[in-house]
Amino acid sequence: YYEAQGKHLGIARTKLILGETYHKSGDSESALRLLKEALAIAEEHNYRDLLPAAHVKIGELYFSKADYALSLKHCKLGFEGLNEAWWLGEQLSACECVYKSYKALGNDLEALAYLEKKGELENKLQLKETAKQLEKIEFQKVLLQDSLTRAVEARLIADAHKAEVQAKNKTRN
């Protein structure tokens, strides 16, 4: 379907997802083939949002195969491509991959640098999540205030109606 429509981004994303699925199921060869195809499409069409993700997934696959040099290469390319603030979760994954690759290669100094970056990213991610929670709380507070205002208005209207009915009853009696 995607090929008939010429939608290369959809093809690349599908191959990326399938590659990740094959990797999780243990079929590293099929996974690597699909991930490399996704990377090639992303490079050919300059899909800047897909390139880093493909590199990180390939890097993670190479790490699982104990090819730490290739893992480092791809994870580092992925990490460097994920420089926008909304990519924090992906940056964290890429940074973790770079850290583990450096550590596996015995380069403790570089591993330490990426461990520190990982900590910074975790803090930023936590702050982002905290900000979301605060926004939710603020929204709930506004809703509660609105509900209270409506309830007070309804009570005042009911009290006024009750007083009016009592006044009419007194004049009848």
Side-chain angles (χ1 to χ4, degrees):
Y1 168 76
Y2 283 124
E3 289 179 28
Q5 300 296 318
K7 300 200 177 196
H8 303 287
L9 180 60
I11 295 168
R13 282 189 175 146
T14 301
K15 288 178 183 276
L16 190 69
I17 292 166
L18 286 171
E20 190 174 4
T21 303
Y22 275 107
H23 182 219
K24 287 179 181 175
S25 71
D27 186 351
S28 296
E29 297 310 312
S30 296
L32 188 57
R33 178 182 51 78
L34 287 163
L35 292 171
K36 284 184 174 181
E37 289 173 7
L39 179 63
I41 293 169
E43 286 173 338
E44 180 182 341
H45 296 282
N46 196 27
Y47 294 134
R48 284 188 242 146
D49 64 330
L50 197 59
L51 273 167
H55 276 296
V56 172
K57 296 300 176 197
I58 291 170
E60 290 171 343
L61 189 142
Y62 278 127
F63 188 87
S64 71
K65 294 175 77 170
D67 190 339
Y68 305 123
L70 281 174
S71 173
L72 177 61
K73 172 189 169 190
H74 283 282
C75 289
K76 205 167 183 186
L77 284 168
F79 181 72
E80 290 166 358
L82 294 165
N83 56 8
E84 300 294 332
W86 60 83
W87 291 102
L88 281 176
E90 289 79 2
Q91 283 178 340
L92 187 58
S93 296
C95 192
E96 171 79 15
C97 184
V98 173
Y99 160 71
K100 290 188 325 188
S101 297
Y102 271 130
K103 188 157 177 66
L105 289 168
N107 191 336
D108 293 336
L109 192 57
E110 288 293 330
L112 181 60
Y114 278 88
L115 183 61
E116 289 173 0
K117 288 179 186 181
K118 183 178 167 249
E120 291 170 11
L121 288 170
E122 287 172 336
N123 288 342
K124 284 182 185 177
L125 198 56
Q126 185 65 36
L127 286 173
K128 192 175 180 182
E129 291 301 317
T130 301
K132 283 182 187 177
Q133 290 297 325
L134 288 174
E135 284 178 14
K136 285 181 184 178
I137 290 169
E138 187 63 31
F139 181 70
Q140 290 172 345
K141 181 180 164 186
V142 168
L143 286 179
L144 181 60
Q145 185 63 42
D146 186 52
S147 295
L148 287 173
T149 302
R150 290 177 191 254
V152 168
E153 288 174 355
R155 186 183 54 82
L156 290 173
I157 291 170
D159 288 349
H161 178 70
K162 185 178 175 183
E164 188 178 317
V165 168
Q166 286 177 346
K168 284 183 182 180
N169 285 342
K170 281 185 181 177
T171 56
R172 280 190 209 164
N173 292 337

